[in-house]
Amino acid sequence: MRVTPSASSEYSGIITLTEAKAYLRVDTSAEDSLIGDCLLAATQQIEDMANTRLKSVTSAGYIDAFYTTRFPVGPIVSVGSVQYKKQGQPSTYTTLPTTQWYATVQGVEARISFVNPPALEPDCLDRVKINFDYGYDNSQHMRPRQFKQAILMLTLHYYDNRSPVSHTGKPVAVPMSVTSLVSTFRQL
């Protein structure tokens, strides 16, 4: 399944600027804008590393035929609708009745399957569009604490290393501890 990019979460609500400044040990407001940018960049990087969003977002996934498929992002909150390109109508989507599809959204392996699907337009791509919500919505899917720690650590890394080139001659990489905090949540 090909998923359209969803807007990344803003840092507000996940980690406040005050929390980030406390973690960075910054007492003044002179660099609030810079710290906010580092915090947002860190949040987006962590979301991309884990193939998730830290707040629930609406997105769409596309497949070329009706077949059981796994969502490559997660956690899946809900599947809203399935649309398809009818045979003879390659430029418009038609909504598939909910009786002709079912989704399993609990757990890591969220999937969608189809029952007696209709014929599809043969001469186009992205013939099936699946509209869904995914990410951590704090009701069905509580956001793991590791994300908060990883964002703070990466924000500190970005704040302390403002240049892509180290002045000491040694390359500066993303801390492995950040990767290890997030890697267990990655959807493949």
Side-chain angles (χ1 to χ4, degrees), residues 68 110 146:
T68 298
Q146 291 96 319

Side-chain angles (χ1 to χ4, degrees), residues 67-69 100-104 111-115:
Y67 55 86
T68 298
T69 189
Q100 291 186 274
W101 61 270
Y102 60 94
T104 304
R111 298 181 311 273
I112 189 165
S113 294
F114 304 93
V115 180

Side-chain angles (χ1 to χ4, degrees), residues 48-174:
D48 290 346
M49 286 172 74
N51 244 9
T52 192
R53 293 295 174 250
L54 298 177
K55 290 183 177 180
S56 182
V57 295
T58 299
S59 192
Y62 297 88
I63 53 179
D64 293 325
F66 287 112
Y67 55 86
T68 298
T69 189
R70 191 175 90 61
F71 291 90
V73 295
I76 303 300
V77 176
S78 64
V79 178
S81 66
V82 175
Q83 298 172 305
Y84 67 101
K85 292 183 179 178
K86 275 186 183 179
Q87 193 167 14
Q89 297 179 355
S91 60
T92 60
Y93 282 102
T94 301
T95 300
L96 185 68
T98 58
T99 57
Q100 291 186 274
W101 61 270
Y102 60 94
T104 304
V105 298
Q106 300 300 322
V108 176
E109 293 288 324
R111 298 181 311 273
I112 189 165
S113 294
F114 304 93
V115 180
N116 300 320
L120 293 168
E121 171 60 34
D123 296 326
C124 63
L125 297 173
D126 296 338
R127 294 180 286 181
V128 180
K129 179 181 179 183
I130 303 163
N131 300 297
F132 60 95
D133 293 336
Y134 77 103
Y136 290 91
D137 67 353
N138 282 337
S139 60
Q140 184 178 349
H141 300 285
M142 296 298 290
R143 188 180 312 116
R145 293 176 191 227
Q146 291 96 319
F147 284 118
K148 187 172 184 176
Q149 184 62 38
I151 291 168
L152 288 169
M153 292 170 73
L154 197 52
T155 300
L156 175 63
H157 174 77
Y158 288 159
Y159 183 75
D160 284 347
N161 300 286
R162 299 179 194 192
S163 172
V165 179
S166 172
H167 297 292
T168 62
K170 298 177 186 176
V172 180
V174 173

